[in-house]
Amino acid sequence: PAFGYFSGGNDYGSGRTTITSRINFSNDAFVPLQKGGLPTQTIQLGATGNKNFGYYSGGGTPAVPSGVSHTNRLDYSNDTSLLSPKGNLTASKYNLKATGSQSFGYFSGGGVHPNFISSVDRLDYSSDTTAMAPKGPLSADHYAAGATGNSNFGYVGGGAPGDSTVSRIDYSNDTQVAPAKGPLASPRFKICATGDANFGYFMGGQGTNSIIERVDYSND
C-alpha cells in the first residue's frame, strides 16, 4: 500500500475527534495530511480494510460512551470526502479490534457494557451495506487486544487485564470457535499489532510496556 490512515481517537486538548490523517509511506518524514473525517467523534473503535477501502466500526461517542454499532467506510480513491455509513455490527461494542482478508473484515472482541466479550462479526466487502454476520467466537474474551493476520488467518492477542491468549480466526472456516494458539509471553492490555504475510508483531501496552513479541504464522 502507498498510504496509511488513522481515524478518530482522543485529542486531549478538545476530547474525542473525527479527524482522519493520511501518512505517505514513500515520504514519511512529513506531517500526515488531514483527510475526510468520521461522521461522529469516536474512540476505541476497530478498523481494517482491503486495497480499496478502510472500514471503522464500533467504539464510544460523546452521546454513547458505552459503545455504538456504527460502521463507516473510507474510500482511498476519494479520501477527502466524509466517511460513508455501511452495515453495522451485530451489537454496540467498544475497544474491539479488527483484521481480515481482501474479501472480508472480522471485528472481534471488545466490550458490551459492562462485560468483556469474545464475539466476532464479519463484514462482507462485496455487500458492505448489509449488517455484519456473527461468526465463530474467539477462544477467550479479548478486550483492548491487538489484531493482525495474513490472507488465511487472523490473530487476536492479549487484551483484558491478565490475558495472554492468542486466538486464531480461520477465514476458510470462520463458523468454528477460533482456537487458542501460542500465547504471548506475558499478559498485555491495550496493545497494538501489525504484520506481514509471514509474521505478526504484538507490541506495547498499558503503562510503560515497550515489549515486542512476534508470532510465526508457519509455527503458531
Side-chain angles (χ1 to χ4, degrees), residues 13-195:
S14 58
R16 295 173 174 85
T17 182
T18 64
I19 292 172
T20 294
S21 299
R22 188 185 77 184
I23 184 169
N24 186 339
F25 295 150
S26 67
N27 192 13
D28 58 10
F30 285 84
V31 174
L33 297 175
Q34 185 169 332
K35 295 295 178 176
L38 296 165
T40 307
Q41 296 173 345
T42 312
I43 60 171
Q44 299 173 343
L45 65 172
T48 189
N50 60 10
K51 64 181 180 180
N52 298 311
F53 303 105
Y55 294 86
Y56 299 85
S57 291
T61 69
V64 192
S66 59
V68 296
S69 62
H70 305 160
T71 297
N72 294 288
R73 189 184 78 179
L74 172 66
D75 184 344
Y76 300 150
S77 68
N78 185 23
D79 61 9
T80 58
S81 297
L82 191 71
L83 276 65
S84 56
K86 296 297 175 179
N88 287 347
L89 297 163
T90 59
S92 298
K93 305 175 186 181
Y94 61 99
N95 254 329
L96 68 167
K97 291 298 173 75
T99 187
S101 65
Q102 289 297 308
S103 301
F104 301 102
Y106 293 83
F107 292 82
S108 306
V112 173
H113 188 74
N115 301 311
F116 301 155
I117 58 173
S118 62
S119 63
V120 175
D121 293 346
R122 189 186 76 179
L123 175 64
D124 184 344
Y125 299 149
S126 68
S127 180
D128 62 8
T129 58
T130 303
M132 294 191 202
K135 294 296 174 178
L138 304 171
S139 60
D141 295 337
H142 289 277
Y143 173 85
T148 188
N150 59 11
S151 60
N152 298 310
F153 302 104
Y155 294 82
V156 184
D163 189 7
S164 61
T165 305
V166 174
S167 300
R168 189 187 76 181
I169 302 169
D170 183 345
Y171 302 149
S172 68
N173 186 18
D174 59 11
T175 58
Q176 69 170 350
V177 175
K181 295 296 177 177
L184 301 173
S186 60
R188 311 282 289 282
F189 179 49
K190 293 186 177 179
I191 63 176
C192 292
T194 189

